[in-house]
Amino acid sequence: MTFNEKMHWVALVGLVLAFGWYFATYPWAIANTQAGVWAAVGMLIPVTIIFLVPMIAGTVYFAIRTPTEATLKADERDKTIHLRGTHAAYYPLVLGVWANIFALINGVGFGYSVNILMATLVICELIRVGSQLYYYRRGY
């Protein structure tokens, strides 16, 4: 397993932990109030910490274990995998933004709109990282 693949696994776990906590503990009853919007903003601080701690710890751990692999530049395979993963996440991102626009036009409140955008971003990142892991495992 390459260093980049290991880092993608760490990112996947970090995303699931951080945003799983966010969406599980968000106060949905007050989502369309000003307090709900501020709750979303306030919850981004712990989400960032929950995501960054495994990323930093994983990077340090894997860089210490395999220092030569950690300093290698991305080869054509890594670049192709990155391109394919980003491409796979682009279309769901566009659909999510359009869904949010449609929801706003039809009267969905600002608090729900913020969470729709956040969910769109998280889903697309999970698709990007997941597809990149798939391509690493498949051998592209």
Side-chain angles (χ1 to χ4, degrees), residues 11-49:
L12 182 71
V13 169
L15 279 168
V16 169
L17 289 176
F19 286 100
W21 172 81
Y22 173 87
F23 288 112
T25 60
Y26 182 77
W28 293 103
I30 61 167
N32 274 335
T33 65
Q34 193 66 25
V37 173
W38 283 109
V41 171
M43 289 176 75
L44 288 179
I45 294 167
V47 163
T48 304
I49 293 168

